Amino acid sequence: MTTTDPASRPSRLPRLADGTAPVLAVLAVLLVALAFAGPAYSEPAGYLALLKRAAPLMILAIGQYFVIVSGGFDLSVGSLVTAEVVIAARLIDGDEAATLWVIPFVLGFGALVGLVNGLITTRLLVPSFIVTLGMLLVLDGAVFLWTGGSPRGALSEAFRTIGREGFDVPLLGQVPWSVLLLAALVAAAVLFMRGGTGRMLVAIGDNETAVRLGGGHVERLRTLAFVLSGLSAAVAAILLGGFAGVSAQVGDGLEFRVITAVVLGGVVLGGGRGSVVAAMAGALTLEALFSLLNLLGISGGLESAVQGVIIIAAVAYAASGRSVFRTRKGTS
């Protein structure tokens, strides 16, 4: 008896471009609308500033995509971002020399939180929604107890450079370092998803049983997805710390915003469908939409309503898709 590697079944796996076209079309419309709504977008510098603001969310979307496409959730990323910024400020406390070891520490802490989330989810069989919700509360409580609601310390200039500085390019003006980092991570994520491990993550979300029968290490791969999500939160924290400074609320609401961005990009809740490029495009689309609403003077409270509508629609779409699949399976 021979078995087929689930990662090599193209008919069950989405192509990289699947789901990307619709969100790119919406993004193009929003970018054009921004050009008419605000004079800042009449030059490339305006769009580079948009990318700079969107970079942390787009990087978070990469990690969240890995978790969602493999069939899970990570609700802890917003609290993790806050914890990372607060910890970094306390450890650096204005000391430029400390930056060299604090950045690796921040990345390691993010990976550790992701590892804990992944191990509890896969080894103890606790739903990822519950695990990461618990981690959200643990991190929020720890940050409050440590800071009393008022973070202490200060980030060094070297730490903040990547989040708020850039380099000059003729015709374009200043290109932020965060945009350059984002481009590198986009390329790395695309290459990863084209490899066997990336395809296997999608296969797990699509049909976990088939992956197990094919000899795939489901628990190990799902844990890897959570570790990558934790790392993406750490990188986002470094950028947000540089861009926005130290705050006990810097990551508030990011967990819901990034899930909204990922499902806006066409990634199906429950796993098995969607592309990492579309997930990042969803994050940029969401940032462009909110920027447009601000330029039009529409109340910021509408942002939460928009996110809620997108999430409800995504859950309904995923549920209807599973219902259709079961109906077809029952009649075949």
Side-chain angles (χ1 to χ4, degrees):
M1 178 179 177
T2 59
T3 59
T4 303
D5 181 4
S8 64
R9 299 177 182 175
S11 62
R12 298 299 303 276
L13 300 178
R15 298 187 307 273
L16 184 65
D18 283 353
T20 308
V23 70
L24 289 180
V26 174
L27 177 59
V29 171
L30 288 172
L31 294 179
V32 172
L34 283 172
F36 286 99
Y41 294 94
S42 61
E43 298 180 357
Y47 292 103
L48 287 174
L50 173 65
L51 274 175
K52 181 179 180 179
R53 294 194 303 273
L57 185 63
M58 293 176 73
I59 291 170
L60 280 173
I62 296 174
Q64 192 71 229
Y65 166 81
F66 294 143
V67 175
I68 289 180
V69 84
S70 61
F73 280 99
D74 190 352
L75 296 178
S76 66
V77 292
S79 295
L80 181 54
V81 166
T82 298
E84 298 272 29
V85 172
V86 170
I87 291 171
R90 186 71 175 272
L91 293 177
I92 293 176
D93 200 17
D95 182 9
E96 295 290 338
T99 306
L100 291 176
W101 66 268
V102 169
I103 288 180
F105 177 84
V106 165
L107 295 173
F109 183 74
L112 177 62
V113 171
L115 179 63
V116 172
N117 285 336
L119 290 177
I120 295 176
T121 299
T122 59
R123 303 300 178 181
L124 300 183
L125 302 181
V126 181
S128 60
F129 182 91
I130 301 300
V131 174
T132 56
L133 177 61
M135 183 61 74
L136 179 155
L137 297 174
V138 168
L139 292 171
D140 273 352
V143 167
F144 183 80
L145 287 174
W146 195 28
T147 65
S150 179
R152 286 167 285 177
L155 297 172
S156 63
E157 289 300 316
F159 188 96
R160 300 194 65 180
T161 294
I162 192 170
R164 65 177 180 178
E165 302 293 340
F167 58 97
D168 292 328
V169 174
L171 301 179
L172 292 179
Q174 188 182 74
V175 176
W177 289 112
S178 56
V179 173
L180 190 63
L181 175 61
L182 172 64
L185 291 178
V186 168
V190 169
L191 290 175
F192 177 79
M193 291 310 300
R194 285 180 173 176
T197 303
R199 294 199 303 272
M200 191 72 78
L201 280 177
V202 181
I204 289 171
D206 182 44
N207 192 331
E208 178 183 333
T209 302
V211 175
R212 290 187 186 279
L213 292 175
H217 301 285
V218 174
E219 289 78 11
R220 189 180 303 172
L221 289 169
R222 277 190 168 147
T223 300
L224 174 63
F226 281 102
V227 171
L228 293 174
S229 180
L231 280 171
S232 73
V235 175
I238 293 171
L239 296 184
L240 283 170
F243 181 74
V246 183
S247 169
Q249 291 80 38
V250 67
D252 282 3
L254 279 177
E255 59 277 352
F256 298 112
R257 181 170 288 200
V258 71
I259 290 174
T260 305
V262 171
V263 298
L264 181 60
V267 181
V268 175
L269 296 177
R273 283 186 56 194
S275 83
V276 67
V277 172
M280 289 180 285
L284 182 57
T285 300
L286 199 62
E287 190 65 38
L289 173 61
F290 293 156
S291 296
L292 181 61
L293 293 177
N294 288 335
L295 286 173
L296 296 177
I298 297 175
S299 172
L302 188 60
E303 293 183 6
S304 296
V306 170
Q307 292 181 72
V309 169
I310 292 172
I311 290 175
I312 292 171
V315 171
Y317 175 76
S320 65
R322 286 192 294 269
S323 177
V324 170
F325 175 75
R326 291 194 189 100
T327 302
R328 289 177 178 176
K329 186 177 180 180
T331 57
S332 60

